[in-house]
Amino acid sequence: MDFTININNKSLVASRGETILEVMNRNGIRVPTLCHIKNALPTGACRMCVVEDNKTGKLITSCSFPAEPGMSILTHSPRVVESRKTIIELLLSNHPDDCLYCVRNKNCELQDLSSELHVTERRIRGIKNKANLDLSSASIIRDPEKCILCGRCVYVCEEVMGVACIDFINRGNKSIIGTAFHQGLNTSSCINCGQCIMVCPTGALTEKNHFAQIQEALSNPAKRVVVQYAPSITVSMAEELGMEPGVDINGILNAALRKVGFDHIFDSSFSADLTIMEESAELIHRVQNGGVLPMITSCCPGWVKYAEEFAPDFIPNLSSCKSPQQMMGAIIKSHFAEQENLKPEEIYSVSIMPCTAKKFEAQREEMTREGISDVDAVLTTRELARFLKLFGVDMFNIKPELVDSPLGFRSTAGKLFGASGGVMEAAIRTAYRTLTGKEMVEFQVPALRGFEGRKETKINIDGLELGVAVVNGMTNAKKLLDEIRSGKNDVHFIEIMACPGGCIGGGGQHIGTSDEQLRARMQTLYRIDETERIKVSHKNPEIVDLYKEFLGEPLGHKSHELLHTHYHQREVVK
Amino acid sequence: MTLVQHVLHKYPAVGRDNLIPILQEIQTAEGYLSKKSILEVGRYLDIPASKIFGVATFYNQFRFEPFGVNHVQVCRGTACHVLGSSTVLQELEKHLKVKAGQTTRDGQFSIEVVACIGACGLAPVICVNGEFHAKVTAQSIKEIVDSYKTKGE
């Protein structure tokens, strides 16, 4: 049922159940918000979105107040603006004034609002927050001093990720956001997905940075420094650089990384192809030999840790394949080292990932051989942008270059790993070929594309009906796992990605990514798949060569040693 | 059957709304909420540990450390406040090197802040192991506490 309400002396149509904020957003009226998260139940905690109700003379929070017929609202009356300004001044009163030293400088919502509301002097002096940094996690640093208690991290951690390792602790002016028993994040159930960083308006949550180690390696003549970048990086870095969303910066990125001084540049989409070779073989092996089904992908380190903590009963279902990052790492420090006459310890292996959990994965015990990690340092997309700036690389005046070969060429199937559903699609293409000896007529599986939290379909491979499901967001995964526990048996292969939309929406991506930007990234990935020629992993010539020269066959002895692993139940505070 | 299990046994209908009564019963039985019991309650009610810790720290009534051998209650009611109980508390915290709500590492002393123990005429007043001490000052508090230390030995 529609009715009209009056906002800033203009009649606007609203429908029942809509909040005032929704009506305003639809009509291009912008009021600032801090604690608000789209599509989430409003908390009304920060009170930035207050508007004046002309009839009652009250200030009401537009994010939580439903529009009512005949309402008359002022969004920027002097009272409202003054009230918002005071809120910001109060938030700043106990905030550490170290913007110049903050990672989020120039990309901070508190800073933006303070400038927007013309906070130019310190009217309110409060006692500064005092709290210790939590440096315990391999991926995420928590700085409670910078926290403004908006609660957005608490929301995503519980509602989107189903993890809930942080919550509001204590009461009133002693409130902080923290873990149970004030322990470090490393002993909590945190899966390192980094979605909390993505929603944090300030620098209270940031990723653990490896710049110093990488710079040291780059300037060490005894080290060969190699780098790999994930499939989603080239299509999701544009926003960090000030380019059009969704632009594929592939060639430019190669050139930029060479300028910085990396000796070899590899593409993780190549090792994604490798993952597909192993994973599809594993799937077929399980189906034909009565192995544990459904098989679940293990590319996503967030999901793997979730499984170890919350779903240990599904560990036998996890594919034993390492993720593309770790497969590449293992190949670099074995085959590549051999070819270049290097010892593994002479190589410093960097990876660029859209993900904070990859930092955790890289230092896992399972990903180490004889005390040497396969991947030494991980940079997120946004860290890479800062790293390139540090080296003065002008991304707008640079000639595209090719990636190094071998270990650089990729099929478009490997590239699809960047989007939710991509791993599944790529695996189906190769499994089909292995089982039937023929290529698929139509490579695309539209039912597995798009942003829905859960996508399911049936694939018919020469009479063998394979049920497949793709989920992103751990709460969606939890639902599916619960259904399987209670008897759902029509799925054989599941792809699980922790982050909404898959890696293009990962916790290491540009902060402030909008839905449109995400869509643009996904479209670019699918456009690459449409326009390029080699669309299946098993036709990647470098993959074919790698098996011929080194690995032998999928699931063979060498593969087993280098590319597969096993996971175990993990005891954490949960 | 552990004590926590015994308490949980009384709440067969599992629901979030039972959380606070359960925590209260455990605290009554054990004197405080241990990490172990919080985790056990969490598993039983299917609530993450961070949530339970969040709820429990919201209320003053819950403690997370066992009582010391000597339990010191410092009254922070109005009459005591007016007569300087806040300095008394500060001195006590400094002397024992723990904050209110905590227990010293040797397990000898714990401090608790209470709202009013109904002895306003004796303000500022503290209560150690049920014994009242009247008109406490920042100086005398140390002697009072230390006298219990020797008793313990």
Side-chain angles (χ1 to χ4, degrees):
Chain A
M1 196 190 79
D2 288 355
F3 52 89
T4 62
I5 70 169
N6 189 309
I7 299 181
N8 295 343
N9 301 318
K10 246 172 124 176
S11 271
L12 298 174
V13 181
S15 40
R16 190 153 293 282
E18 245 183 338
T19 62
I20 304 174
L21 185 70
E22 281 164 347
V23 180
M24 293 191 298
N25 283 345
R26 212 162 22 78
N27 289 286
I29 304 167
R30 197 189 153 269
V31 302
T33 56
L34 272 178
C35 68
H36 178 70
I37 296 185
K38 215 171 145 191
N39 300 327
L41 210 63
T43 59
C46 74
R47 316 206 77 74
M48 276 310 292
C49 67
V50 286
V51 291
E52 189 169 353
D53 184 342
N54 245 344
K55 287 208 173 122
T56 60
K58 278 185 182 157
L59 293 179
I60 53 177
T61 47
S62 59
C63 71
S64 59
F65 212 99
E68 282 161 14
M71 242 180 183
S72 170
I73 297 292
L74 290 174
T75 64
H76 286 81
S77 69
R79 233 183 112 202
V80 170
V81 172
E82 184 57 35
S83 154
R84 282 185 202 139
K85 190 175 171 181
T86 309
I87 291 166
I88 289 296
E89 286 177 306
L90 283 166
L91 284 176
L92 287 172
S93 71
N94 60 1
H95 193 81
D97 296 311
D98 62 352
C99 295
L100 287 174
Y101 307 98
C102 182
V103 189
R104 291 290 297 273
N105 191 19
K106 300 204 284 187
N107 182 18
C108 168
E109 288 178 40
L110 188 61
Q111 207 178 39
D112 291 346
L113 285 172
S114 150
S115 132
E116 215 170 274
L117 292 157
H118 295 271
V119 178
T120 51
E121 59 178 326
R122 186 181 296 282
R123 276 202 305 144
I124 307 163
R125 283 179 190 278
I127 300 167
K128 299 287 176 193
N129 293 332
K130 267 260 166 266
N132 291 333
L133 275 179
D134 180 359
L135 297 164
S136 63
S137 158
S139 300
I140 297 168
I141 298 176
R142 282 192 325 117
D143 184 356
E145 288 187 3
K146 288 180 184 160
C147 176
I148 59 167
L149 300 172
C150 67
R152 298 199 316 216
C153 53
V154 175
Y155 171 81
V156 281
C157 194
E158 182 175 15
E159 302 289 332
V160 182
M161 287 300 158
V163 171
C165 67
I166 44 172
D167 196 13
F168 287 91
I169 311 289
N170 296 335
R171 175 166 56 166
N173 62 2
K174 293 205 174 82
S175 293
I176 54 155
I177 284 174
T179 53
F181 318 112
H182 299 296
Q183 293 192 345
L185 263 190
N186 61 339
T187 55
S188 77
S189 54
C190 172
I191 60 167
N192 304 304
C193 67
Q195 287 299 320
C196 53
I197 303 178
M198 298 299 281
V199 295
C200 184
T202 70
L205 288 158
T206 52
E207 64 271 34
K208 194 165 246 178
N209 187 291
H210 296 156
F211 280 12
Q213 293 95 310
I214 298 172
Q215 280 173 279
E216 197 188 299
L218 282 170
S219 57
N220 182 349
K223 286 264 181 194
R224 191 77 74 85
V225 188
V226 303
V227 65
Q228 57 167 315
Y229 53 80
S232 65
I233 299 295
T234 65
V235 301
S236 54
M237 222 185 129
E239 290 91 338
E240 279 292 330
L241 303 169
M243 298 176 183
E244 278 293 296
V247 172
D248 184 16
I249 59 155
N250 197 9
I252 304 174
L253 183 64
N254 296 332
L257 290 171
R258 274 202 191 99
K259 276 200 168 176
V260 166
F262 289 106
D263 298 313
H264 298 273
I265 295 153
F266 303 127
D267 190 341
S268 310
S269 311
F270 165 84
S271 48
D273 280 336
L274 190 56
T275 307
I276 288 304
M277 297 300 287
E278 296 291 330
E279 202 159 0
S280 60
E282 187 186 353
L283 176 67
I284 292 167
H285 182 81
R286 286 192 189 208
V287 171
Q288 290 177 340
N289 298 291
V292 182
L293 288 172
M295 185 172 99
I296 310 179
T297 59
S298 59
C299 301
C300 172
W303 147 241
V304 169
K305 188 161 186 255
Y306 183 94
E308 291 173 324
E309 296 168 359
F310 295 99
D313 50 329
F314 279 97
I315 289 180
N317 300 65
L318 276 181
S319 159
S320 65
C321 295
K322 289 183 185 174
S323 71
Q325 163 179 279
Q326 294 307 139
M327 282 201 180
M328 182 65 102
I331 293 288
I332 287 172
K333 290 207 177 174
S334 57
H335 183 53
F336 173 78
E338 230 171 83
Q339 283 190 322
E340 299 277 316
N341 276 325
L342 292 167
K343 286 189 209 125
E345 56 268 37
E346 289 171 322
I347 299 175
Y348 193 83
S349 178
V350 180
S351 75
I352 298 162
M353 293 286 141
C355 177
T356 47
K358 288 283 176 193
K359 289 175 188 267
F360 171 81
E361 186 186 42
Q363 52 92 62
R364 285 181 73 117
E365 211 182 338
E366 296 92 333
M367 306 303 172
T368 325
R369 276 171 305 126
E370 287 155 30
I372 301 165
S373 358
D374 285 335
V375 174
D376 295 290
V378 180
L379 288 177
T380 61
T381 317
R382 43 179 191 266
E383 280 178 302
L384 175 64
R386 288 210 303 277
F387 198 68
L388 294 177
K389 271 187 201 147
L390 192 64
F391 283 81
V393 182
D394 180 358
M395 296 294 277
F396 287 89
N397 286 301
I398 198 164
K399 271 219 181 78
E401 289 175 16
L402 281 176
V403 67
D404 279 310
S405 175
L407 314 188
F409 192 86
R410 56 150 180 82
S411 75
T412 62
K415 194 74 182 165
L416 286 183
F417 268 57
S420 157
V423 181
M424 180 60 75
E425 230 179 283
I428 289 169
R429 291 178 192 179
T430 295
Y432 189 94
R433 164 65 206 258
T434 315
L435 282 171
T436 64
K438 294 178 297 209
E439 295 294 344
M440 286 170 88
V441 186
E442 187 60 67
F443 284 122
Q444 290 178 20
V445 188
L448 299 178
R449 297 189 170 191
F451 282 95
E452 289 92 294
R454 171 157 159 194
K455 294 162 276 188
E456 253 183 276
T457 188
K458 297 263 181 294
I459 307 285
N460 197 318
I461 305 180
D462 253 5
L464 171 77
E465 198 176 61
L466 205 61
V468 296
V470 170
V471 285
N472 60 78
M474 292 317 309
T475 24
N476 296 321
K478 184 175 184 286
K479 256 181 243 152
L480 178 60
L481 296 184
D482 281 342
E483 282 172 38
I484 293 169
R485 281 187 189 115
S486 49
K488 180 181 170 74
N489 59 8
D490 59 342
V491 280
H492 307 98
F493 189 24
I494 304 172
E495 175 203 304
I496 299 184
M497 294 291 164
C499 294
C503 304
I504 47 171
Q509 300 282 30
H510 173 71
I511 290 171
T513 303
S514 66
D515 292 354
E516 288 73 44
Q517 288 169 334
L518 269 184
R519 219 163 285 135
R521 291 173 189 171
M522 195 181 262
Q523 269 164 11
T524 309
L525 286 178
Y526 288 136
R527 201 181 54 238
I528 291 171
D529 184 45
E530 213 162 287
T531 50
E532 289 185 17
R533 229 167 38 86
I534 298 183
K535 297 189 206 292
V536 287
S537 304
H538 53 268
K539 280 203 174 163
N540 178 342
E542 290 186 1
I543 290 283
V544 176
D545 288 347
L546 186 68
Y547 276 106
K548 217 185 282 168
E549 288 166 16
F550 183 64
L551 289 171
E553 53 176 352
L555 305 184
H557 176 68
K558 275 250 165 61
S559 298
H560 209 77
E561 199 179 306
L562 291 169
L563 309 179
H564 291 262
T565 188
H566 286 285
Y567 300 101
H568 306 280
Q569 182 167 4
R570 188 183 287 267
E571 284 306 323
V572 292
V573 176
K574 63 170 195 267
Chain B
M1 199 190 263
T2 66
L3 213 141
V4 175
Q5 281 169 345
H6 184 75
V7 172
L8 294 176
H9 202 67
K10 291 193 226 162
Y11 295 86
V14 179
R16 288 190 160 219
D17 39 348
N18 285 331
L19 176 62
I20 291 174
I22 288 176
L23 292 181
Q24 282 169 327
E25 271 199 52
I26 291 173
Q27 170 145 320
T28 313
E30 291 195 314
Y32 74 112
L33 299 176
S34 68
K35 185 176 154 187
K36 212 173 136 233
S37 45
I38 288 183
L39 292 174
E40 206 170 331
V41 173
R43 272 192 297 273
Y44 186 73
L45 296 180
D46 197 18
I47 306 178
S50 63
K51 296 265 141 203
I52 301 184
F53 192 64
V55 169
T57 52
F58 184 88
Y59 297 101
N60 277 330
Q61 58 177 300
F62 295 115
R63 8 183 331 117
F64 303 92
E65 283 175 49
F67 287 117
V69 176
N70 302 298
H71 185 56
V72 187
Q73 290 175 309
V74 180
C75 180
R76 292 282 291 119
T78 316
C80 289
H81 174 71
V82 170
L83 289 167
S85 65
S86 96
T87 15
V88 169
L89 178 62
Q90 266 175 27
E91 277 304 314
L92 181 65
E93 289 179 339
K94 235 198 274 172
H95 186 62
L96 294 177
K97 300 192 180 71
V98 287
K99 294 263 173 229
Q102 295 178 332
T103 305
T104 54
R105 214 173 268 182
D106 60 3
Q108 281 297 311
F109 289 97
S110 51
I111 311 177
E112 183 189 8
V113 165
V114 290
C116 180
I117 44 182
C120 303
L122 308 175
V125 64
I126 68 163
C127 174
V128 187
N129 303 339
E131 294 171 16
F132 282 63
H133 296 264
K135 303 203 192 307
V136 182
T137 63
Q139 286 77 40
S140 69
I141 183 101
K142 292 175 200 162
E143 290 155 29
I144 296 170
V145 168
D146 286 345
S147 72
Y148 283 90
K149 204 188 259 175
T150 44
K151 271 182 207 167
E153 287 162 1

